[in-house]
């Protein structure tokens, strides 16, 4: 077995994508549904630390982590050891048929570590959408109510129910309706674009939520679902106090308060769960992505009286809590034990602020640098009107890709570049990638300014 390590330096041997990736991409187009998009059409041969090594020998700095999945690294030895040991024993039995101890061990860790000073139970699943849907099922079973409150700019998944809960139309919802009903949307306290100013966002958004509930009848709502930091919506950090305000509203009306931490949880923001920054605890908390260290595993953890409200047999799934994925999660938990990974997230934030925050200026198309820990973003818009500039975000991302730095575009308007480096990324590599991104921003903006001046000359 090849045990050589991947050097933690950026290296361009060919153009990106290179000839072997281009050949594989041509075959992919002949074999795979075109419904799958790709941020960067390169084929990866090895991955380790903060580097993705492609089939052409290029070493690409990973600022994506498989969309916040490989937070502990794509080849973490603790995860590998546990998965290898489990692989030697058996790959699957289905927990609903015969049980295995690792499933219970993962649930026990989540019960002990998710916020909230109350007795908890956990259910394991395979995908984020599946876990969010099961949180809704649990809330409906416990309350006997139907409606679900969600928020502007939310993203909760790609299944029919979670698409209905998701705000962004394209590419997630277009052509796929009709969607399940009983989904109601409320204002999100997004500071940058709040009409009367960021200082008013919390109070006015909370009032807006109260108004929406009053309009539909608060007694008809089973659940209120929100991301503590929005993901696909643009890495929007809610205005201070908004989550606490929602927690109070939910408690007052008997609505189950659900925090979707699929992307923001598991150490990504410098605390184990992003909601810890706001000092709030969910009735039900949904985790995923980084939970399985690269294997498909998600969970719903919550108050025992809610989790046990569902009839026996009402929760499950053939692959829910697969033993290989549970073994991987136990390796992830072990990787977090000494605190280095949480410190790594804070180190990433501090370094990124030093490189990127100065780009936010009065005449700059970067109108915001935001996020927490290793969940960070820059937003491109007109500095005066805040009109989104998705073409600049796309151009900057493309320039970074050409230079061997993988970044992802997100946001309701497609005008946000998000940064999700693995928490284990080495400092020199992090700084190299951020320097490439900063130069790309400066270069693309200069080129666009010159082009605009030529058009108007």
């Amino acid at each position: 077995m090849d045990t050589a390590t991947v050097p933690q330096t950026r290296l361009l041997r060919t153009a990106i994508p290179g000839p072997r990736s281009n050949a594989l991409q041509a075959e992919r187009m002949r074999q795979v549904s075109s419904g799958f998009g790709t941020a960067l059409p390169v084929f990866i041969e090895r991955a380790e630390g903060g580097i993705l090594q492609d089939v052409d020998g290029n070493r690409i700095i990973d600022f994506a982590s498989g969309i916040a999945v490989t937070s502990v690294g794509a080849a973490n030895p603790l995860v590998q050891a546990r998965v290898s040991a489990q692989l030697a024993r058996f790959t699957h039995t289905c927990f609903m048929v015969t049980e295995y101890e690792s499933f219970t061990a993962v649930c026990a860790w989540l019960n002990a570590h998710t916020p909230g000073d109350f007795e908890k139970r956990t259910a394991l699943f395979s995908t984020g959408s599946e876990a969010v849907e099961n949180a809704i099922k649990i809330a409906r079973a416990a309350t006997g109510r139907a409606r679900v409150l969600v928020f502007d700019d939310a993203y909760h998944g790609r299944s029919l129910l979670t698409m209905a809960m998701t705000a962004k139309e394209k590419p997630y919802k277009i052509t796929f309706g009709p969607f399940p009903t009983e989904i109601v949307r409320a204002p999100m306290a997004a500071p940058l674009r709040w009409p009367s100013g960021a200082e008013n966002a919390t109070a006015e958004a909370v009032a807006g939520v109260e108004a929406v509930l009053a309009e539909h009848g608060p007694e008809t709502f089973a659940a209120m679902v929100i991301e503590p930091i929005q993901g696909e919506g643009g890495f929007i950090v809610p205005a201070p106090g908004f989550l606490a305000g929602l927690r109070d509203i939910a408690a007052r009306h008997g609505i189950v308060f659900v925090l979707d931490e699929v992307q923001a949880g598991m150490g990504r923001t410098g605390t184990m769960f992003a909601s810890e920054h706001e000092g709030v605890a969910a009735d039900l908390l949904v985790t995923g992505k980084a939970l399985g260290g690269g294997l498909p595993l998600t969970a719903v953890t919550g108050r025992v009286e809610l989790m046990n409200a569902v009839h026996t047999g009402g929760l499950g799934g053939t692959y829910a809590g697969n033993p290989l994925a549970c073994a991987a999660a136990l390796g992830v938990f072990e990787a977090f034990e000494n605190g280095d990974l949480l410190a790594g997230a804070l180190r990433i934030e501090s370094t990124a602020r030093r490189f990127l925050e100065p780009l936010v200026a009065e005449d700059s198309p970067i109108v915001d640098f935001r996020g927490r820990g290793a969940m960070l973003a820059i937003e491109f818009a007109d500095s005066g009107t805040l009109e989104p500039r998705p073409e600049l975000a796309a151009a900057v991302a493309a320039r970074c890709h050409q230079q061997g730095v993988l970044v992802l575009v997100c946001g309701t308007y497609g005008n946000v570049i998000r940064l999700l480096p693995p928490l284990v990324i080495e400092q020199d590599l992090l700084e190299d990638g951020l320097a490439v991104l900063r130069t790309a921003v400066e270069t693309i903006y200069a080129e666009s300014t010159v082009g605009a001046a030529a058009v108007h000359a």
Side-chain angles (χ1 to χ4, degrees):
M1 186 176 68
D2 182 7
T3 59
T5 60
V6 178
Q8 295 299 295
T9 54
R10 180 168 57 103
L11 177 67
L12 301 182
R13 294 189 182 276
T14 71
I16 296 180
R20 291 192 63 197
S21 277
N22 283 330
L24 290 169
Q25 178 69 9
E27 177 65 8
R28 167 248 163 92
M29 297 304 293
R30 287 190 290 269
Q31 306 298 343
V32 180
S33 166
S34 60
F36 279 82
T38 303
L40 178 58
V42 300
F43 283 73
I44 302 304
E45 186 173 64
R46 298 281 303 275
E48 186 178 334
I51 287 289
L52 304 172
Q53 182 171 300
D54 72 12
V55 292
D56 291 288
N58 299 300
R59 295 200 297 267
I60 299 165
I61 298 177
D62 182 10
F63 280 178
S65 298
I67 316 183
V69 168
T70 55
S71 294
V72 300
N76 186 287
L78 297 173
V79 173
Q80 289 176 321
R82 287 182 177 266
V83 173
S84 295
Q86 178 59 51
L87 185 63
R89 292 192 292 270
F90 60 90
T91 61
H92 186 67
T93 69
C94 182
F95 191 75
M96 298 181 301
V97 178
T98 58
E99 301 169 313
Y100 37 91
E101 188 177 356
S102 58
F103 190 112
T104 303
V106 171
C107 293
W109 190 96
L110 289 168
N111 292 339
H113 288 84
T114 53
D117 186 19
F118 42 80
E119 188 178 359
K120 306 183 188 82
R121 295 290 185 275
T122 292
L124 301 181
F125 304 99
S126 301
T127 71
S129 298
E130 186 185 7
V132 170
E133 290 211 4
N134 276 279
I136 302 306
K137 287 164 56 179
I138 292 164
R140 285 175 170 173
T143 64
R145 304 172 181 180
R147 285 195 170 119
V148 178
L149 189 73
V150 294
F151 293 84
D152 292 338
D153 299 308
Y155 177 84
H156 295 292
R158 291 177 178 264
S159 65
L160 281 174
L161 177 57
T162 56
M163 277 194 292
M165 296 168 66
T166 291
K168 191 173 182 179
E169 186 73 17
K170 190 174 181 180
Y172 301 114
K173 300 169 74 169
I174 188 170
T175 77
F176 293 139
F179 299 107
T181 58
E182 306 302 331
I183 307 298
V184 179
R185 201 166 302 280
M188 167 71 177
L192 180 65
R193 284 187 166 79
W194 195 259
S196 62
E199 67 278 8
N200 299 314
T202 294
E204 293 179 3
V206 166
V209 171
E210 292 273 28
V212 169
L213 291 174
E215 177 185 355
H216 295 276
E219 72 283 354
T220 67
F221 284 84
M224 174 188 296
V225 187
I226 190 166
E227 303 155 271
I229 297 178
Q230 291 185 320
E232 178 60 25
F235 280 32
I236 299 171
V237 181
F242 183 59
L243 291 183
L246 296 181
R247 166 75 274 180
D248 291 344
I249 292 172
R252 192 175 344 118
H253 294 297
I255 301 169
V256 178
F257 185 54
V258 182
L259 286 173
D260 178 349
E261 293 229 22
V262 169
Q263 185 165 167
M266 292 307 300
R268 175 54 53 180
T269 65
T271 55
M272 190 58 69
F273 298 97
S275 50
E276 294 179 63
H277 291 281
E278 299 291 334
V280 297
D283 296 317
L284 300 176
L285 187 140
V286 184
T287 48
K289 289 190 181 288
L291 175 63
L295 276 69
L297 185 69
T298 58
V300 180
T301 301
R303 295 179 181 274
V304 61
E305 65 272 19
L306 299 176
M307 296 297 296
N308 286 350
V310 180
H311 58 277
T312 300
L315 302 179
T318 301
Y319 290 101
N322 168 270
L324 293 175
C326 287
L330 294 176
V332 169
F333 301 156
E334 187 178 355
F336 273 102
E337 284 179 359
N338 65 9
D340 288 351
L341 291 177
L342 295 181
L346 298 177
R347 169 182 57 86
I348 289 167
E349 178 180 359
S350 175
T351 305
R353 286 192 180 279
R354 175 163 52 87
F355 272 79
L356 301 178
E357 211 162 30
L359 296 176
V360 182
E362 188 173 338
D363 60 346
S364 169
I366 306 295
V367 295
D368 202 14
F369 172 91
R370 58 177 177 259
R372 285 177 168 145
M375 186 175 184
L376 303 168
I378 52 175
E379 178 166 349
F380 295 80
D382 181 88
S383 58
T385 65
L386 294 182
E387 181 69 23
R389 298 288 303 274
E391 77 286 357
L392 290 182
V396 168
R399 187 67 59 93
C400 288
H401 294 169
Q402 291 168 4
Q403 296 298 313
V405 178
L406 175 59
V407 297
L408 300 176
V409 174
C410 70
T412 298
Y413 310 105
N415 66 323
V416 175
I417 287 181
R418 55 179 159 177
L419 304 178
L420 291 163
L423 307 186
V424 297
I425 191 169
E426 294 181 2
Q427 185 67 15
D428 288 347
L429 193 63
L430 174 64
E431 293 188 7
D432 182 23
L434 290 171
V436 169
L437 173 57
R438 182 176 60 192
T439 299
V441 170
E442 294 168 344
T443 302
I444 293 297
Y445 180 51
E447 291 173 355
S448 69
T449 303
V450 171
V455 168
H456 292 95

